[in-house]
Each structure stands twice: as structure tokens, then as C-alpha cells.
Amino acid sequence: MREALLALFLSSAEPLTRTRLAGIFDGDPDCVGWEAALNTLLATGEGPLQLVCVADGYRLQIHPRHNALVTRLHVEPPRPLSRATLETLAVIAYQQPVTRPEIEHWRGVAVSVQILQQLQERGWITISGHRDTPGRPALWVTTPGFLEHFSLPSLAALPEIVTVDEGQMDMQA
């Protein structure tokens, strides 16, 4: 069962939920005990691999203890995010659903269309609707892709925000 689960997680492009796994395994007499094997994988991992819960599903990934080595494997450096982009993403993550004027209020500066486009292209934010106020501004929220990228099981796993000075925030990990 352990090998069957590993094969499914390695071949899946997105996290697998327990419901999806049940649909695959249930009814097959050779697959009895898949839930116990899943719980064992969650608790112990498999060598350099770690099974993590992200966005209401499970994903197999390289254990963080190997990050330094794995980063040397990738030749193309990741595109860094600007401070403005990170601030915008943080406001959306913590205050969602939030409108662009509200983001600008929290940040204290205007938010460019390019920042919101960049976050949308990465699949981290989306429009969930429109506020019922004049101009009907878009309501921005994070996506399951945001949770997956940052290895968060839910938004509740975000670090707690602590107010340092009036108008400034600090995140506690």
C-alpha cells in the first residue's frame, strides 16, 4: 500500500484529498489499509520525501533538510518578488476578501496593476466577486495555489501579526 500511495503522489500534478484517494482505492480488495498507510506516511515520511497537508489535500515533497542541496540542482534562479508585491500579497492573505483601495489603505501607497497581474499569473490570487458599493470594486482573495506554494494547510497557518507601532505590522513565525 505504501508503494501504491507513493506512486499516486509522485504522478499527481496537484495535491490529493482523502476523498479522491478513497475514490481510487475503495472497492478494491487489494487496497485494504490504504488509510493506515497514508497515516504512516504522514507521520514518518519516506526517506528524503515528506508527505505534507496543503490546501485540503496531501502532497509529496522533498524534506526541507535537503533544500540547500536541491537548490544547487536548479540552474535558473527563481524570480524574486519585489517588496511591494510581497506587501500586497500579505495584505490580501491576511485581510481577504479585500478591494484594491483597501490594499492601498493598508500599504499607504498606490497598488499598480502590474503587481496584481503578477500575483494572478502565479496563481496566488483571484477575484472572488465585487463589493456592493459605488464602482463595484473587485474583491481579491488568495487561491489554493497560494497555499500549495507556501506549503500551508490553510490560512489559519499564517504567522500571527503583532502590531509594533501604530500603522506598522510585524509577523511572528
Side-chain angles (χ1 to χ4, degrees):
M1 263 323 354
R2 189 179 186 109
E3 286 183 18
L5 281 168
L6 288 172
L8 288 173
F9 285 116
L10 286 171
S11 62
S12 178
E14 67 271 340
L16 296 173
T17 64
R18 282 189 184 262
T19 305
R20 178 77 172 112
L21 290 169
I24 295 169
F25 289 126
D26 286 353
D28 187 343
D30 294 332
C31 297
V32 174
W34 69 267
E35 289 184 279
L38 177 66
N39 292 333
T40 302
L41 273 175
L42 279 168
T44 62
E46 179 68 29
L49 302 175
Q50 176 184 37
L51 188 63
V52 294
C53 179
V54 292
D56 298 326
Y58 300 97
R59 176 179 69 195
L60 198 60
Q61 65 185 30
I62 303 296
H63 195 284
R65 69 177 173 257
H66 301 293
N67 284 352
L69 185 62
V70 172
T71 55
R72 288 187 248 153
L73 174 67
H74 300 288
V75 178
E76 183 181 322
R79 296 180 308 175
L81 295 174
S82 69
R83 180 180 175 138
T85 303
L86 286 173
E87 287 175 359
T88 301
L89 182 59
V91 170
I92 294 169
Y94 281 96
Q95 301 298 320
Q96 64 185 301
V98 65
T99 64
R100 185 172 167 185
E102 291 168 338
I103 296 169
E104 291 171 347
H105 171 77
W106 276 96
R107 288 195 58 230
V109 295
V111 175
S112 73
V113 173
Q114 290 84 3
I115 288 175
L116 295 172
Q117 270 182 331
Q118 181 182 14
L119 293 171
Q120 268 189 303
E121 288 170 2
R122 288 182 182 240
W124 294 347
I125 65 170
T126 191
I127 296 172
S128 68
H130 295 274
R131 178 136 309 138
D132 201 14
T133 59
R136 297 198 29 87
L139 291 169
W140 293 97
V141 296
T142 56
T143 65
F146 165 80
L147 295 174
E148 291 171 25
H149 181 82
F150 291 99
S151 295
L152 297 169
S154 69
L155 291 173
L158 286 169
E160 182 182 329
I161 295 179
V162 178
T163 304
V164 179
D165 288 327
E166 189 174 316
Q168 292 184 344
M169 296 183 297
D170 186 28
M171 288 181 245
Q172 299 293 318

